[in-house]
Amino acid sequence: MPETEPLMANGSTDLSWWRHAAIYQVYVRSFADGNADGTGDIAGVRSRLQYLADLGVDAIWFNPWYPSPMADAGYDIADYRDIEPVFGTLPEAEALIAEAHALDIRVIIDIVPNHGSDEHAWFKAALAGGPEAPERDLFWFRAGKGENGELPPNDWNSIFGGPAWTRSTNPDGSPGEWYLHLFAPEQPDWNWDNPKVHEEFEAVLRFWLDRGVDGIRIDSAALLIKDASLGDFTEGVTEGQHPFIDIPAVHDVYRAWRRLSDSYPGERILIGEVWLPDRERFTQYLRPDELHTAFNFDFLGAAWDAARMRSVIEGTLADHAPAAASPTWVLSNHDVVRHVTRYGRGDTSFSMDNRRLGEFSDFELGTRRARAAILVTFALPGAVYVYQGEELGLSEVEDLPEELLQDPIWPRSGYTDKGRDGARVPIPWSGDASPFGFNSEGVEPWLPQPAEWKSLTVAAEDGDPDSMLELYRSALHCRRQVASLALPDLSWLPTAEGVLGFARGDDFVCVANTSGGPVDLPPHKSVLLSSVPLVNDQLPSDAAVWLKSE
């Protein structure tokens, strides 16, 4: 019997698609190369849509695919209403949306509202027009401090490292005002105190919703509003309030966006990238008139430890319940070290502040734990995200040549942090050598693939019952078939130390063993799926199982 009353993930039996969807993240540049130029593109994605349908996903989330100088992998957007030529054309994107819908796959796109590109037409006009240009009020231009304005307006630092201000040059060549960029200098921040910025982004949302997209993922969702005083961070701009993270006025933006998305037929959803340690404030983004869901980074960062995982799961479900919101669960994405690598280290937790790149990782152990972790993830109430390549068991590529690194974190950190490129290496499809079917012409991809990936291609794993790919396929399809997994409840089971056990509904149980030895299974009718073979009806260490319960 469960040891606690059922925990409710969203407080209702609402079965809207987004509450329990399996969403696959496509990093277009590294998914599939349709024109054999070494870079992934929309043509490549279209050629692999059936693979995603067979995998069993409900939706695809695309990282930014807009025209961009690529100073930050496309998160520096020059035009929010078109497609980056390297990736294809707007008609190709429209065809992809239609083809995905024909396969019952929804499409989610990435919108970046905190910052644009220094190549955006409005920013170029702001520079060309000098200090009196009206476009400057669309960004954060300010005079510098010091006798000749040679110092930044305040002491804010960029999230990528270094100062958050860059000095512009006037049309006559003289030093000009400074502009704010919370990320790279090529990514000037939008000024959301200007109503025209609100109008522009609502128009952008309509542009893509009119083309049939089913969801909008909002990058850096908590950063849009700044304390207009722009005082030094060390002064504490407003009592108890960070000067540019989670300022209350940001919620007005998402209430307006929710009204807009609700005005469209079908369920068009808003998903926030919200990194906040304060769970109560995090949950405010999920109120019924704001975002539908937000990424759950606490779970991603949790160590492979039953007690820690249970604590995060309990906290997540409890925090989402008051807002009747559906949680999300994710283990990897384009910004973090792949979880096969994390789980093979002595410290299996994760933090963006310390990615521990280069630390020894036991690939075999990390893979074993990753297989178990995905069964836990897929068994939880809510939506799940799969980052491309994790279904193949890919690890972080930590030995990329330094001259090929493109993440701005690398130079901004003074060449001490190699950044996120290791999670963005093009994925392998077939063959015994690079480019592993990434394109059909044998053209080397934009980042080199490890030679050992020949055993981790789609072709190598397809049909192998012991492969990671077949485990994902089985789990995703089983997840659709077991009715209890679409419900919002979860009940904990009494377990030994180091063991995580919970029930969903009255006929499904998940058990994960993070301890050092085998454990007995609870009473059950049958085994639905296990991450490794069971031994004498016991669950080995670093393993998980799905059971049809009595």
Side-chain angles (χ1 to χ4, degrees):
M1 295 292 292
E3 66 171 1
T4 63
E5 291 299 313
L7 297 174
M8 305 304 288
N10 56 50
S12 74
T13 56
D14 184 349
L15 298 182
S16 299
W17 72 268
W18 49 270
R19 289 192 179 276
H20 54 90
I23 302 169
Y24 189 95
Q25 180 187 353
V26 167
Y27 191 79
V28 179
R29 195 177 188 186
S30 298
F31 186 69
D33 175 11
N35 64 359
D37 64 356
T39 300
D41 47 38
I42 290 174
V45 178
R46 293 173 68 189
S47 73
R48 302 291 186 178
L49 282 176
Q50 189 61 53
Y51 165 80
L52 296 177
D54 293 341
L55 184 62
V57 302
D58 302 297
I60 307 170
W61 156 37
F62 290 93
N63 289 102
W65 55 8
Y66 315 100
S68 168
M70 296 293 169
D72 181 25
Y75 281 89
D76 49 319
I77 298 172
D79 183 351
Y80 289 80
R81 294 178 178 83
D82 206 349
I83 297 295
E84 165 58 41
V86 171
F87 296 155
T89 65
L90 183 58
E92 284 184 284
E94 293 169 338
L96 185 156
I97 294 168
E99 291 162 3
H101 286 169
L103 292 170
D104 293 326
I105 296 175
R106 292 176 168 87
V107 173
I108 299 166
I109 62 168
D110 221 317
I111 291 289
V112 185
N114 177 70
H115 49 268
S117 165
D118 59 357
E119 291 297 316
H120 191 284
W122 287 0
F123 189 77
K124 291 197 291 185
L127 292 180
E132 303 306 318
E135 290 85 0
R136 292 211 169 189
D137 193 47
L138 300 169
F139 305 92
W140 290 97
F141 279 87
R142 292 293 186 273
K145 294 180 178 179
E147 184 177 350
N148 298 303
E150 70 276 10
L151 300 176
N154 65 29
D155 63 357
W156 295 3
N157 285 323
S158 162
I159 292 168
F160 284 164
W165 295 89
T166 291
R167 195 170 193 183
S168 65
T169 301
N170 289 323
D172 64 3
S174 62
E177 295 178 313
W178 297 71
Y179 67 88
L180 176 68
H181 52 86
L182 293 183
F183 292 88
E186 297 87 354
Q187 296 169 286
D189 278 36
W190 295 104
N191 176 13
W192 280 86
D193 288 350
N194 189 320
K196 189 173 181 179
V197 173
H198 292 253
E199 295 168 4
E200 169 67 5
F201 275 93
E202 289 185 21
V204 168
L205 263 59
R206 289 191 189 94
F207 179 89
W208 290 105
L209 292 170
D210 287 344
R211 280 156 180 76
V213 302
D214 304 279
I216 306 290
R217 182 264 189 185
I218 305 162
D219 180 72
S220 302
L223 303 184
L224 276 57
I225 309 299
K226 279 71 175 177
D227 188 307
S229 70
L230 296 181
D232 281 346
F233 184 84
T234 51
E235 294 174 357
V237 181
T238 301
E239 187 71 25
Q241 175 63 60
H242 194 286
F244 55 78
I245 297 178
D246 189 39
I247 291 180
V250 75
H251 295 284
D252 295 332
V253 175
Y254 299 132
R255 290 188 185 98
W257 287 18
R258 180 62 178 263
R259 290 192 295 271
L260 192 159
S261 69
D262 284 349
S263 72
Y264 279 79
E267 294 180 289
R268 314 293 186 96
I269 68 167
L270 303 175
I271 306 163
E273 183 199 25
V274 183
W275 292 81
L276 289 178
D278 186 323
R279 285 174 166 171
E280 182 178 350
R281 298 191 69 139
F282 168 85
T283 307
Q284 291 178 7
Y285 289 80
L286 301 174
R287 289 176 289 203
D289 62 344
E290 294 192 42
L291 307 182
H292 294 77
T293 66
F295 286 166
N296 181 5
F297 294 110
D298 285 347
F299 184 72
L300 181 153
W304 175 246
D305 172 80
R308 176 58 185 150
M309 293 175 76
R310 172 168 173 165
S311 175
V312 169
I313 294 167
E314 285 182 319
T316 297
L317 298 183
D319 292 339
H320 282 70
S326 183
T328 65
W329 312 97
V330 59
L331 294 175
S332 283
N333 65 36
H334 66 294
D335 282 333
V336 307
V337 174
R338 286 187 177 273
H339 61 273
V340 163
T341 297
R342 303 199 314 263
Y343 286 150
R345 290 184 170 146
D347 181 351
T348 56
S349 65
F350 177 77
S351 166
M352 288 294 289
D353 295 331
N354 182 12
R355 293 190 293 276
R356 299 192 300 280
L357 295 177
E359 282 188 14
F360 172 76
S361 176
D362 183 328
F363 176 73
E364 183 176 347
L365 177 62
T367 298
R368 182 183 178 95
R369 289 171 170 170
R371 290 175 63 88
I374 204 61
L375 291 192
V376 174
T377 304
F378 286 177
L380 294 170
V384 296
Y385 283 80
V386 174
Y387 176 49
Q388 65 177 45
E390 73 170 75
E391 78 276 16
L392 304 176
L394 301 186
S395 59
E396 188 84 357
V397 182
E398 299 187 288
D399 59 353
L400 291 170
E402 293 181 354
E403 64 272 16
L404 297 181
L405 296 178
Q406 300 193 26
D407 190 342
I409 289 178
W410 173 234
R412 297 283 292 178
S413 68
Y415 303 100
T416 60
D417 185 338
K418 290 190 173 182
R420 302 159 293 176
D421 288 323
R424 303 173 177 182
V425 174
I427 65 175
W429 292 93
S430 61
D432 294 326
S434 181
F436 293 118
F438 179 63
N439 58 64
S440 60
E441 304 299 326
V443 176
E444 288 301 307
W446 69 281
L447 283 177
Q449 303 156 304
E452 57 267 25
W453 276 9
K454 67 179 181 180
S455 63
L456 299 177
T457 67
V458 172
E461 296 192 26
D462 186 29
D464 178 356
D466 297 326
S467 71
M468 186 75 84
L469 177 59
E470 293 299 341
L471 177 68
Y472 269 70
R473 285 174 174 166
S474 297
L476 286 169
H477 286 281
C478 186
R479 188 173 178 271
R480 285 179 171 177
Q481 295 163 0
V482 176
S484 296
L485 293 179
L487 300 176
D489 65 294
L490 177 149
S491 300
W492 295 109
L493 303 178
T495 56
E497 185 177 354
V499 180
L500 186 77
F502 56 88
R504 301 286 312 284
D506 58 6
D507 63 351
F508 178 92
V509 164
C510 176
V511 180
N513 181 11
T514 69
S515 74
V519 297
D520 293 330
L521 295 176
H524 58 278
K525 290 182 179 179
S526 61
V527 174
L528 297 174
L529 194 59
S530 61
S531 63
V532 299
L534 305 181
V535 180
N536 298 323
D537 208 33
Q538 287 187 313
L539 183 64
S541 178
D542 295 317
V545 64
W546 286 0
L547 303 172
K548 186 174 180 61
S549 60
E550 293 184 343

